[in-house]
Amino acid sequence: MPNTITFCRSLIIVVALIPGAASAQRSDADWLRDCREDRSDRSDRREAYCEVRETRARASGGTVSMEGLRNGGISATGWDADSIVVRTRIRAQARTEARAREIASQVRTVISGSTVTVDGPRNIDDDQWNASLVAMIPRRSNLRLETRNGPVSVEQVTGEMNIETRNGPLALREIGGNVRARTTNGPLSITLSGTRWDGAGLDAQTTNGPLTISVPENYNARLETGTRNGPVNVGFPITVVGRIGRDISTELGSGGATIRATTTNGPLTLRRR
């Protein structure tokens, strides 16, 4: 039997990002200020050097790939140009600022075709560095992103996408295409736009973290979502066929592409934009 359910609860989530893997939504100036002022580890006597560099290349039309980062975030935002612009946010640490600056000078961002790579010296003892990428890419792009420790966000891009971070927040905003996205330890936020999904659909998952889905009014899709261990908060009426539980399967509006997003350990929040 169909059931119409509405849950309204308040949910406050505080997310602490690792130093140097700052949110890509901040300006470069804000990032530089926070990077230079960061003293999260008071026992760390090393000095830090922070720098932002820009690398440009004409888009080749292949899959845009940014993979292999170990300690840094990735942000990809679509724009109308036919080029790729990558700003690399570098933070180096050493016993002296001069040595930290020397380490940063050895970090290189290279765009070869549509593949973006970051190379630098090996981290040894007190000599450490990490890099985050903030990229502008064509709105219609296939995309492959992967980092081990850091936030990942994709905004206003449509295409075939494979997105993964092992330890960090994952944010998907106003995207489309055939998208697979995973985070192991971190919140997952999805912001839908328009009246329907443009493309085959979305398959997104977090293992340990809250899941938030923001849905516009008059949106049309097949929504499949749920949580194994956590409360369910729904901020607008939906119709569920069968027993109401932690798994939700429903048609929004007239239906459409499948939007599948789940969390294993964490709260689920559905809300209006």
Side-chain angles (χ1 to χ4, degrees), residues 35-260:
C35 180
R36 290 164 179 158
E37 293 177 354
D38 177 55
R39 290 291 185 272
S40 54
D41 185 352
R42 300 295 178 179
S43 64
D44 191 346
R45 298 181 179 276
R46 294 177 299 175
E47 297 294 329
Y49 174 77
C50 306
E51 182 180 343
V52 179
R53 297 188 198 141
E54 186 173 286
T55 309
R56 293 174 173 262
R58 182 169 296 277
S60 68
T63 298
V64 178
S65 175
M66 289 176 271
E67 301 178 83
L69 288 182
R70 297 196 174 201
N71 295 291
I74 302 175
S75 167
T77 302
W79 67 344
D80 295 328
D82 62 351
S83 59
I84 299 173
V85 175
V86 178
R87 298 196 310 279
T88 306
R89 295 172 172 176
I90 303 166
R91 188 175 198 266
Q93 287 182 288
R95 284 296 179 183
T96 65
E97 184 177 349
R99 177 55 183 159
R101 184 190 295 267
E102 181 183 351
I103 294 167
S105 70
Q106 299 175 54
V107 177
R108 296 284 184 269
T109 301
V110 177
I111 304 177
S112 177
S114 294
T115 300
V116 181
T117 57
V118 180
D119 295 315
R122 192 170 71 174
N123 287 335
I124 302 175
D125 298 328
D126 293 324
D127 294 351
Q128 304 284 322
W129 66 272
N130 61 61
S132 294
L133 301 177
V134 181
M136 304 296 296
I137 66 175
R139 293 188 191 278
R140 292 280 175 175
S141 293
N142 296 334
L143 194 58
R144 180 178 292 274
L145 305 179
E146 184 267 331
T147 183
R148 293 188 185 180
N149 297 296
V152 173
S153 68
V154 181
E155 184 170 1
Q156 297 181 359
V157 179
T158 299
E160 295 277 338
M161 300 187 213
N162 196 325
I163 306 163
E164 182 175 356
T165 178
R166 297 185 188 177
N167 295 293
L170 175 57
L172 309 173
R173 307 182 187 95
E174 302 179 6
I175 65 173
N178 185 16
V179 180
R180 179 187 181 275
R182 298 287 187 274
T183 179
T184 303
N185 297 300
L188 170 61
S189 65
I190 299 166
T191 303
L192 304 174
S193 63
T195 59
R196 64 181 60 248
W197 184 268
D198 179 8
L202 170 68
D203 180 7
Q205 178 181 307
T206 177
T207 303
N208 297 300
L211 167 61
T212 303
I213 306 174
S214 300
V215 184
E217 289 197 41
N218 304 315
Y219 197 80
N220 303 280
R222 173 74 180 176
L223 177 64
E224 297 180 1
T225 187
T227 177
R228 295 280 184 87
N229 301 295
V232 177
N233 305 274
V234 181
F236 56 90
I238 61 173
T239 300
V240 179
V241 177
R243 184 175 65 85
I244 298 174
R246 295 182 181 275
D247 295 320
I248 295 174
S249 182
T250 186
E251 298 283 335
L252 300 177
S254 60
T258 298
I259 307 297
R260 181 180 297 108

